[in-house]
Amino acid sequence: GDDIRSGDIFIVNDPYLGGTHLNDVAIYAPRSAAGTSTLFPAVRAHWGDIGGAVAGSISGQSRHIFEEGLRIPPLRLCSGDDFNDEAVRLILHNVRDPEERRGDLMAMIGTARVATRRLAELEAKYGAEVVASVSATLLHRADERMRAAIRAWPDGDYHYENYLDNSGADGEPLRISLRLEVRGDTIRCDFTGTSPQGNGPINGSLANTASGCFIVLKSFLDPASPINGGCFRALSVHAPEGTFLNAAFPAPAGGSGEIRRTIEATVAAIVAQVAPERASGDVKGAANHCYISGQAAHGRPGFLLYEYASGGGGAVRGRDGENMIRTYNEGDFNSVQPIETLELRCPLLVESSQLRLDSGGAGEWRGGLGLERRIRVERSRSVLSVLTDRVVIPPYGVCAGGSGAGNRFTIMRGDAEIEPSAIPGKVTALPLEAGDVVVCRSAGGGGYGEALDRAPDAVRRDVEQGLVSVDEAISSYGVVLLGAGVDRDATLRLRAAMRAERRALVVAAVAADMHDGPRRILRITGETASALGAADGDIVELVPARGAPLRTFLMIDDAAMAGVAELGPVACRMLGVADGARIAARRIRSPYRHSRPAGSGRPAAAVR
């Protein structure tokens, strides 16, 4: 209302009031000069725990927002020098490790106070009117740069469709359907057709959805200039309320990071249609929340390890993806705890931490490798919680490049490797025994270009450096090694044979796109499926020569035409194909698969 004054500080984390998930707590320090609101600092930080059902607050199978912790509406913490200690005590009384959370909070308040002082110094030196005028100029300049870049794109409607593995409540995939409308110097992102919100943690706010769109469009359109609110003015976002991109109370929202990254991959795939020379393989595509925790017992303190494993970067034309890195959409902060610190604070032993062999997507330029990290649990009564995605449906490659290996979290118990949940990537407080080893494998980035065009000597170097196995060199790149070198003749023969075995389908343009619930259906004969090495329900991607592939779910129907892919108008636009064209098809390699739900009948056709 009208009672906000300089010196006030507010706190909020509510996903339905502009937040992301509950762990992301924001501090706002409004300022005013001569009665006019001006620039004010905002600090958002991820807290390791905000209460709720499990240590760390985020889990794979939460059913409503109350299980994820304390939801804080906009609340005044400070009024000038008056500190609302009662509110702080209430918050800290409902979180694990309250002293660490107090440290988080006081660091955020201190940061906001420093920024407030710096702004006051600017106004004292130049005058509030000059600072306000310069601010307006910076916003206007950013707006004009974005609009100029948008005007260079051809007007039109561009489509792409992407999936998250599941909601956490069941194994059904979630579809993101995006129409990106370019009109003059504006872009509108319309997510009509996206799956409804679910009963698991893969839900997010409209603010989260808008962020995903903005990050990619800013990165492609105007990567060099600073970020400010002016950059947003040419962009608008629509996601229908009640979809998992604009979820309503009381939907949980722990997986907002997974959603945002999949939105980014979706927007990037559309950018690859508009400007294929700027195409980039997808990145690991998930926050990879991984918690190992134990309660205090028998005089021993409790502990909480929270890591989110970095993964491989996507390849671009002329350059392989980076290995095990915080990618462009994440920020350059540490996400894997230093081993010495981890082992000092927690009853855990890091047995190994290394690049994940063969995880980068194959291509003329290879996707970056993910991480493989093995952490031994040394105390019983510990538990594991995981929230991730891109486990079943891995990061895509572009321009015929291969997918990276998906994220995967398992447990080694003796000699057996155990899946921690029936729903891949979603684990809630799974009991661990002393001696169990949690195996964290993060996804590799997608490749760029045809793998059989990769320089044989580059493949040889990858094998020498432990990035690619000998088997992968043969099966994906068609490179035959001989001692420390390449057998050139054998490589030429093998590559020619592999090219001859590639499968392409003839496009039959039909009146309607075919879906079965959230799944885009590819209806082909059993013989055609056998040629692809695929079974009913498998994920098959249709691969254009330029841009990102379209993922489909296979339905075997011997009434279909042999060797033919029936594609509706939206699919044809996404792939840039017409009736009678040929489109490459291949089964996605994954240790997991989606099967059509029991009772699923013939899919409904729908045009959007």
Side-chain angles (χ1 to χ4, degrees):
D2 58 1
D3 66 339
I4 296 175
R5 298 172 294 275
S6 290
D8 288 353
I9 287 184
F10 294 84
I11 185 171
V12 64
N13 74 344
D14 192 332
Y16 308 109
L17 295 173
T20 51
H21 56 201
L22 295 183
N23 294 70
D24 288 342
V25 179
I27 290 290
Y28 298 93
R31 300 175 62 253
S32 64
T36 303
S37 296
T38 62
L39 299 169
F40 62 87
V43 182
R44 180 173 296 195
H46 182 100
W47 288 15
D49 183 274
I50 193 70
V54 301
S57 309
I58 295 175
S59 76
Q61 294 160 351
S62 54
R63 294 292 179 261
H64 49 71
I65 196 72
F66 304 108
E67 292 183 354
E68 294 184 329
L70 192 63
R71 190 163 57 105
I72 308 171
L75 179 70
R76 198 190 315 261
L77 280 186
C78 301
S79 181
D81 293 331
D82 294 331
F83 189 69
N84 190 343
D85 187 61
E86 286 83 358
V88 173
R89 284 194 290 122
L90 176 63
I91 293 170
L92 297 181
H93 199 71
N94 285 278
V95 301
R96 297 167 181 87
D97 200 344
E99 285 308 305
E100 188 172 278
R101 300 291 78 77
R102 179 183 288 275
D104 291 340
L105 177 60
M106 301 315 292
M108 295 167 72
I109 292 174
T111 302
R113 293 290 197 208
V114 169
T116 299
R117 289 200 300 272
R118 296 290 185 266
L119 289 167
E121 290 166 5
L122 277 177
E123 290 172 349
K125 183 174 182 178
Y126 297 106
E129 290 184 359
V130 171
V131 172
S133 175
V134 169
S135 299
T137 299
L138 291 172
L139 293 169
H140 176 72
R141 183 179 297 167
D143 179 34
E144 285 300 304
R145 287 178 62 111
M146 288 287 284
R147 291 183 188 275
I150 294 170
R151 284 192 291 268
W153 282 12
D155 280 6
D157 291 350
Y158 302 90
H159 299 257
Y160 195 68
E161 192 172 82
N162 210 343
Y163 292 91
L164 287 99
D165 292 338
N166 54 70
S167 68
D170 56 42
E172 276 286 270
L174 297 171
R175 182 174 75 238
I176 291 178
S177 181
L178 172 59
R179 182 173 69 247
L180 190 142
E181 304 165 358
V182 180
R183 302 286 188 274
D185 62 358
T186 64
I187 288 178
R188 182 175 186 264
C189 299
D190 183 359
F191 289 95
T192 301
T194 290
S195 295
Q197 70 185 61
N199 198 27
I202 303 297
N203 291 293
S205 66
L206 186 59
N208 187 64
T209 297
S211 293
C213 296
F214 171 77
I215 287 169
V216 175
L217 292 171
K218 176 69 168 69
S219 298
F220 276 97
L221 289 165
D222 185 20
S225 70
I227 296 170
N228 62 42
C231 304
F232 286 86
R233 291 176 178 173
L235 310 178
S236 62
V237 177
H238 170 70
E241 188 173 2
T243 62
F244 77 98
L245 302 186
N246 186 7
F249 173 84
S256 62
E258 279 61 35
I259 293 170
R260 180 174 61 76
R261 288 163 175 81
T262 308
I263 291 168
E264 290 156 357
T266 306
V267 178
I270 288 181
V271 171
Q273 297 173 19
V274 181
E277 72 282 358
R278 306 285 302 278
S280 172
D282 194 8
V283 299
K284 79 174 192 292
N288 278 343
H289 305 275
C290 181
Y291 296 88
I292 305 174
S293 62
Q295 299 297 322
H298 306 299
R300 295 180 298 181
F303 71 93
L304 171 63
L305 170 68
Y306 176 30
E307 294 192 328
Y308 29 110
S310 53
V316 297
R317 183 173 180 82
R319 193 179 73 212
D320 293 342
E322 297 89 350
N323 299 324
M324 209 192 86
I325 192 171
R326 302 304 293 179
T327 48
Y328 73 95
N329 54 358
E330 296 182 294
D332 56 350
F333 53 86
N334 184 41
S335 66
V336 178
Q337 301 295 334
I339 293 172
E340 295 82 359
T341 303
L342 182 162
E343 294 179 346
L344 179 67
R345 298 188 62 179
C346 306
L348 302 168
L349 176 70
V350 179
E351 291 192 338
S352 63
S353 191
Q354 61 194 42
L355 293 177
R356 182 184 178 189
L357 181 69
D358 290 339
S359 57
E364 184 175 1
W365 292 281
R366 174 185 43 72
L369 272 63
L371 166 73
E372 181 169 320
R373 189 161 163 98
R374 294 173 179 254
I375 304 174
R376 180 176 294 276
V377 177
E378 297 189 319
R379 182 192 296 179
S380 295
R381 297 170 58 88
S382 301
V383 298
L384 171 69
S385 293
V386 174
L387 177 53
T388 188
D389 205 81
R390 289 286 190 272
V391 176
V392 182
I393 306 173
Y396 60 69
V398 291
C399 303
S403 301
N407 297 297
R408 193 178 185 197
F409 291 78
T410 60
I411 297 166
M412 292 299 300
R413 184 166 290 165
D415 294 330
E417 186 164 16
I418 299 169
E419 294 293 341
S421 171
I423 300 177
K426 311 298 189 293
V427 184
T428 297
L430 179 77
L432 298 173
E433 302 172 2
D436 285 349
V437 177
V438 178
V439 184
C440 310
R441 301 180 181 95
S442 66
Y448 183 108
E450 168 58 64
L452 298 182
D453 291 335
R454 186 167 176 80
D457 284 332
V459 178
R460 174 186 57 79
R461 286 193 298 272
D462 286 345
V463 173
E464 288 176 353
Q465 294 173 6
L467 309 179
V468 171
S469 68
V470 172
D471 288 346
E472 181 78 357
I474 294 171
S475 63
S476 291
Y477 294 98
V479 172
V480 180
L481 301 177
L482 183 63
V486 175
D487 187 328
R488 308 284 173 180
D489 291 339
T491 294
L492 286 173
R493 291 193 298 272
L494 177 58
R495 285 185 162 184
M498 291 173 69
R499 290 182 196 276
E501 291 174 358
R502 293 284 170 83
R503 294 291 180 264
L505 303 177
V506 177
V507 174
V510 296
D513 291 79
M514 189 175 291
H515 290 91
D516 183 8
R519 304 157 191 256
R520 175 173 287 277
I521 294 299
L522 177 65
R523 189 173 70 101
I524 59 177
T525 65
E527 181 181 357
T528 305
S530 179
L532 294 174
D536 194 64
D538 279 351
I539 302 171
V540 171
E541 57 183 11
L542 303 176
V543 186
R546 303 199 306 175
L550 176 62
R551 269 74 185 271
T552 67
F553 294 82
L554 189 61
M555 185 180 78
I556 294 178
D557 184 349
D558 287 330
M561 294 180 285
V564 170
E566 297 175 343
L567 301 181
V570 176
C572 287
R573 284 197 294 271
M574 284 190 278
L575 293 168
V577 297
D579 188 67
R582 295 178 65 83
I583 186 74
R586 62 191 177 201
R587 181 179 65 86
I588 286 181
R589 294 187 297 175
S590 173
Y592 308 96
R593 69 189 298 267
H594 278 296
S595 14
R596 290 211 310 280
S600 175
R602 183 170 295 277
V607 176
R608 175 174 172 263

